Amino acid sequence: MVNIIVCVKQVPDVAELKIDPLTHNVVREGVPSIVNPDDRIGVEEALRIKEKYGGRITILSMGPPQAKAALFECLSMGTDDAILLSDRTFAAADTLATAYTLARAIKMYRNDFDLIICGRRAIDAETGQTGIQIAEQLEIPHLTYVKNVQVFPDEKKVVVRREVEGQIETIEAPIPILLTVMEGLNKPRLPNLREIIKSKKKEIRVVNATELGGDLSLYGLKGSPTWVAKVYPPPPKPGGTIKSGEPKESVSELINILAEKKLIVKRVE
Amino acid sequence: MMAQVSSALIDIQSWRGVFVYVEMKDGKPRDASLELLGASHKLKESLQEEITAVILGKDVAEFAKILASYGAEKVIVAEHDMLGHYTSDAYTKVLSKIVLENKPSVVFYPATPNCRDLASKMAARLKTGLAADCTDLKVNGNKQLVQIRPDFGGKDLSEILTKTRPQMVTVRPGAFKKLQPKDSKVRVQKVKVDLKPEDMRVKILNVEKAKIEGSDDLVKSQIVASAGMGFGSRENIAIFEEFVKAIGASPGASRPVVERGWIARDRQVGQSGKTVAPKLYFAIGISGSVQHRVGMENSEFIVAINNDPNAPIFKFCNFGIVGDLFKVLPLITEEVKKIKGNSASS
Ligand SMILES: Cc1cc2nc3c(=O)[nH]c(=O)nc-3n(C[C@H](O)[C@H](O)[C@H](O)COP(=O)(O)OP(=O)(O)OC[C@H]3O[C@@H](n4cnc5c(N)ncnc54)[C@H](O)[C@@H]3O)c2cc1C
Ligand SMILES: Nc1ncnc2c1ncn2[C@@H]1O[C@H](COP(=O)(O)O)[C@@H](O)[C@H]1O
């Protein structure tokens, strides 16, 4: 038996984000929300471990009520239950406050876990910090950039391959542990019809701040040591030269510019 | 579970100085760390704080001189056998002790994979703020450190401020320039490292090189040329290779090109690949999606070749040629060979 918690974030589909042509701000309205891609990989890995050894897979998320859609999707992949931490008090949390909130929920509701799986990063802010900070709050070890996982439930250990900058480390670590997983670990399954029907009966437990308890000043914006002072579109690049005439002419103009800028230099033998 | 420290309790004035965490790579201090010494000097005018390089590893004391020559005013060295290979446990234990003893106001880390791991754990242990993968830094009118980072794959920039100390920041490699090295005197402080086997909860069984060849050249190269789907087939990549060789560029590629195996996976440029900022970048048969753009837009001079005048790449290149790459590219290769070749015979 291996009990697993997968932390899942609902994110806007970044590829679909458009820029407002007048204000140059990112337009979020109408952009579809998806399960963060790395987190789907986490769900898939949890399912594969469960298929081998049994156990329970809990999906844990902090987000607005709409995030239920993401949790249903994970349930319909075949996971067992889901907890959504949802409250205005949790809003505008940075990674430390997010990790505090998720870690507290784990302590309160699922303290019998063997593994926690997070994505390497969420595609909206791409910090890649939250998982590591959950592990530190729970005082358990973690391993990042995981490309392969073997679980040995009887020996209470995992053997993990971690890939960093062209090096593969094989690491043995005790259970309980937190892993952050990335592209290339597996190919997530699509929800199947049977599981979709089953998932309708599964419950998503929604927990608010009062219920989660603790010191409310440690949640959300209040509990965040960092805050966003300003958001603005990147400065426009000065318009470049675009040539659409005869290729020969365009090329010779380019070559002149590059030579002038000393970007092509005569080879000194 | 550890309770958080309320940020109101932090006495900001008692935290002074800038720390630069120095990562070792291939047996020497990594360029991205030296760049952070450069960044610290840029901020020094407004921050007026001492710049300390902190280096952890097995035999690393000898590098203090190099760190000084790139701008460190003080170097803290922590050596131990158990620091020979990066682990979160050992490195966090040693570095957090150093930071708590010295109380710097800022700790900069390069935003490389292991440093992002370390910085996250450090910030959680010290219960302080961490801004991830910043591309710019400045000091505002209130003498606050402003940490600038791209959001949503570079569609927005946000400015982050930190209420707690030390302020921790990972900074994207290539975002700042190293100083010109010059011989400088430096104070070196060696710290006593107290590590026991029990401190390490995980055990490294083996380390091997991944099959795909390392492509450090891509990030370091002055000229990078990337191939996109416009090439149409693997065979056509030959004219790309010829161009790359002639101009002396490091080859890169867009994601679909890598996925089809036309060019090695570790040469992908973009959001899920490498970030490059060479002097000269060629985007050849590349549409210029935002995921590709974030990996190359800081290049000094961007040349685009595309047969679609409406391709997004033309909105952010410095020189664009609208045309068939199969006609344009061989012409460029030929011209480049002429320039480079002439001198060889003269
Ligand atoms: C989460 C996520 C992460 C991603 N990460 C990355 C990443 O790291 N890097 C990356 O590159 N992409 C990434 N992508 C993919 C990205 O969205 C684009 O699909 C990709 O960059 C497009 O590659 P391309 O420009 O080569 O191909 P296309 O978009 O198909 O463009 C091909 C271009 O070639 C031009 N062309 C065709 N024939 C010719 C010719 N004969 N002469 C001249 N021009 C010609 C066409 O006009 C077109 O503009 C990511 C996507 C997602 C969702
Ligand atoms: N609000 C959240 N709810 C659940 N999990 C989260 C949340 N934010 C981050 N995570 C987890 O932490 C990982 C890294 O996120 P980030 O640090 O934001 O890049 C994600 O892939 C998730 O597994």
Side-chain angles (χ1 to χ4, degrees):
Chain A
M1 293 267 286
V2 184
N3 290 335
I4 307 174
I5 298 166
V6 187
C7 295
V8 168
K9 188 176 188 186
Q10 189 186 47
V11 294
D13 188 351
V14 171
E16 297 287 319
L17 284 174
K18 300 277 180 309
I19 309 284
D20 183 315
L22 289 177
T23 63
H24 300 287
N25 286 324
V26 170
V27 184
R28 293 192 72 159
E29 287 81 53
V31 176
S33 289
I34 55 170
V35 174
N36 181 46
D38 284 351
D39 303 353
R40 281 164 58 92
I41 291 168
V43 172
E44 175 64 35
E45 200 60 25
L47 290 167
R48 292 183 188 192
I49 295 169
K50 182 184 164 165
E51 280 157 12
K52 267 199 189 151
Y53 304 109
R56 185 195 57 226
I57 304 173
T58 300
I59 304 296
L60 175 64
S61 185
M62 180 184 92
Q66 305 87 280
K68 269 191 169 176
L71 299 192
F72 263 119
E73 191 177 331
C74 297
L75 286 174
S76 63
M77 287 169 76
T79 57
D80 299 292
D81 58 4
I83 302 172
L84 174 63
L85 311 174
S86 195
D87 198 307
R88 274 171 200 272
T89 313
F90 299 146
D94 71 0
T95 61
L96 196 71
T98 303
Y100 174 75
T101 312
L102 294 169
R104 183 169 169 89
I106 291 169
K107 277 263 169 184
M108 297 261 298
Y109 305 117
R110 287 292 179 273
N111 210 17
D112 61 342
F113 68 89
D114 298 297
L115 292 181
I116 303 174
I117 304 181
C118 285
R120 168 168 72 123
R121 55 152 191 232
I123 57 169
D124 49 357
E126 297 198 287
T127 71
Q129 294 169 182
T130 309
I132 302 163
Q133 300 197 320
I134 293 172
E136 179 63 19
Q137 310 242 8
L138 294 171
E139 297 183 62
I140 58 168
H142 77 266
L143 290 168
T144 43
Y145 311 106
V146 168
K147 272 282 181 82
N148 182 275
V149 186
Q150 284 172 280
V151 185
F152 301 89
D154 297 337
E155 295 157 65
K156 283 265 165 213
K157 69 171 194 190
V158 290
V159 173
V160 154
R161 279 158 74 85
R162 175 176 189 266
E163 189 176 318
V164 183
E165 299 189 275
Q167 277 200 335
I168 299 174
E169 302 170 354
T170 307
I171 300 182
E172 186 185 294
I175 282 174
I177 188 166
L178 183 144
L179 307 174
T180 80
V181 298
M182 58 192 272
E183 221 172 84
L185 174 62
N186 60 42
K187 200 164 170 281
R189 69 193 66 185
L190 293 171
N192 69 49
L193 197 61
R194 217 182 47 154
E195 292 291 349
I196 291 175
I197 294 166
K198 269 200 344 210
S199 73
K200 297 277 183 232
K201 292 202 210 89
K202 294 177 191 166
E203 192 205 352
I204 296 178
R205 174 167 183 185
V206 182
V207 174
N208 65 26
T210 325
E211 209 182 326
L212 192 58
D215 184 348
L216 295 193
S217 74
L218 299 178
Y219 295 131
L221 184 60
K222 252 194 173 159
S224 298
T226 66
W227 53 287
V228 179
K230 213 159 134 191
V231 177
Y232 50 90
K237 291 248 163 176
T241 317
I242 309 294
K243 291 274 150 191
S244 50
E246 181 57 38
K248 263 207 149 69
E249 281 169 27
S250 316
V251 168
S252 83
E253 189 174 332
L254 171 67
I255 294 290
N256 287 339
I257 294 175
L258 297 184
E260 202 175 290
K261 286 183 173 291
K262 299 208 174 0
L263 289 167
I264 318 179
V265 278
K266 291 186 179 176
R267 186 179 295 141
V268 199
E269 295 291 306
Chain B
M1 183 165 53
M2 298 171 289
Q4 306 282 94
V5 171
S6 165
S7 53
L9 296 178
I10 296 211
D11 169 18
I12 285 179
Q13 293 311 321
S14 67
W15 296 77
R16 304 285 304 163
V18 173
F19 266 25
V20 170
Y21 173 75
V22 178
E23 184 179 29
M24 292 287 292
K25 173 107 167 86
D26 302 328
K28 55 178 202 288
R30 188 168 196 155
D31 266 1
S33 299
L34 304 180
E35 289 163 14
L36 292 181
L37 290 170
S40 306
H41 272 273
K42 262 183 87 175
L43 299 171
K44 193 168 167 100
E45 260 174 54
S46 13
L47 280 183
Q48 298 292 339
E49 302 201 26
E50 185 180 49
I51 300 165
T52 304
V54 185
I55 185 164
L56 275 55
K58 202 170 159 200
D59 296 303
V60 291
E62 57 177 300
F63 298 109
K65 259 211 191 97
I66 295 181
L67 299 174
S69 73
Y70 282 99
E73 293 162 330
K74 179 181 167 190
V75 179
I76 297 181
V77 181
E79 290 181 314
H80 195 281
D81 279 354
M82 280 168 68
L83 297 173
H85 194 89
Y86 174 76
T87 56
S88 317
D89 280 343
Y91 271 64
T92 306
K93 180 168 185 206
V94 174
L95 186 60
S96 59
K97 185 158 176 269
I98 295 173
V99 168
L100 287 174
E101 277 170 9
N102 289 274
K103 301 181 87 183
S105 90
V106 187
V107 184
F108 290 131
Y109 307 79
T112 58
N114 279 338
C115 287
R116 290 181 75 166
D117 181 298
L118 174 64
S120 304
K121 198 174 170 75
M122 283 287 296
R125 182 157 302 176
L126 272 52
K127 300 181 188 68
T128 193
L130 170 59
D133 203 18
C134 293
T135 50
D136 203 1
L137 299 163
K138 60 181 190 195
V139 177
N140 69 14
N142 300 328
K143 295 230 175 229
Q144 289 167 309
L145 178 68
V146 182
Q147 305 150 114
I148 301 166
R149 65 183 306 267
D151 264 331
F152 297 118
K155 289 186 176 170
D156 260 347
L157 291 176
S158 47
E159 295 193 353
I160 314 278
L161 297 180
T162 305
K163 317 191 254 204
T164 48
R165 294 292 179 274
Q167 307 164 82
M168 294 201 176
V169 194
T170 61
V171 181
R172 194 175 285 189
F176 288 90
K177 296 225 168 347
K178 311 187 267 196
L179 301 177
Q180 281 298 336
K182 60 167 192 273
D183 272 338
S184 317
K185 272 218 214 78
V186 68
R187 284 183 295 134
V188 180
Q189 182 192 340
K190 276 201 177 189
V191 298
K192 236 182 86 199
V193 176
D194 166 35
L195 276 176
K196 292 181 222 65
E198 314 83 90
D199 291 327
M200 216 127 82
R201 291 173 288 186
V202 306
K203 194 163 113 202
I204 300 177
L205 302 177
N206 183 41
V207 179
E208 61 193 306
K209 263 201 148 47
K211 287 217 178 53
I212 41 170
E213 195 187 315
S215 58
D216 246 14
D217 64 298
L218 191 59
V219 183
K220 285 190 203 138
S221 185
Q222 306 271 27
I223 306 178
V224 173
S226 290
M229 288 308 289
F231 279 87
S233 76
R234 182 183 208 134
E235 290 67 47
N236 292 338
I237 295 293
I239 68 160
F240 173 69
E241 280 168 347
E242 198 177 335
F243 164 69
V244 164
K245 223 172 111 194
I247 197 157
S250 206
S254 69
R255 183 160 96 166
V257 163
V258 161
E259 277 170 350
R260 279 165 184 75
W262 299 350
I263 286 176
R265 182 166 288 278
D266 63 336
R267 298 204 163 267
Q268 179 178 320
V269 172
Q271 182 185 320
S272 43
K274 297 237 156 70
T275 300
V276 299
K279 286 211 160 80
L280 176 58
Y281 186 88
F282 286 88
I284 309 164
I286 287 180
S287 57
S289 69
V290 51
Q291 290 88 358
H292 188 78
R293 178 176 177 167
V294 297
M296 44 64 80
E297 65 186 339
N298 290 329
S299 307
E300 265 172 50
F301 196 82
I302 298 169
V303 177
I305 304 166
N306 198 303
N307 61 5
D308 173 8
N310 296 317
I313 190 86
F314 289 130
K315 295 216 174 75
F316 58 94
C317 67
N318 301 87
F319 194 93
I321 299 180
V322 182
D324 182 359
L325 71 88
F326 298 106
K327 292 210 184 86
V328 176
L329 195 59
L331 284 175
I332 302 181
T333 308
E334 199 180 305
E335 291 298 318
V336 169
K337 277 184 179 165
K338 264 191 221 159
I339 296 184
K340 294 206 165 186
N342 274 351
S343 65
S345 55
S346 70

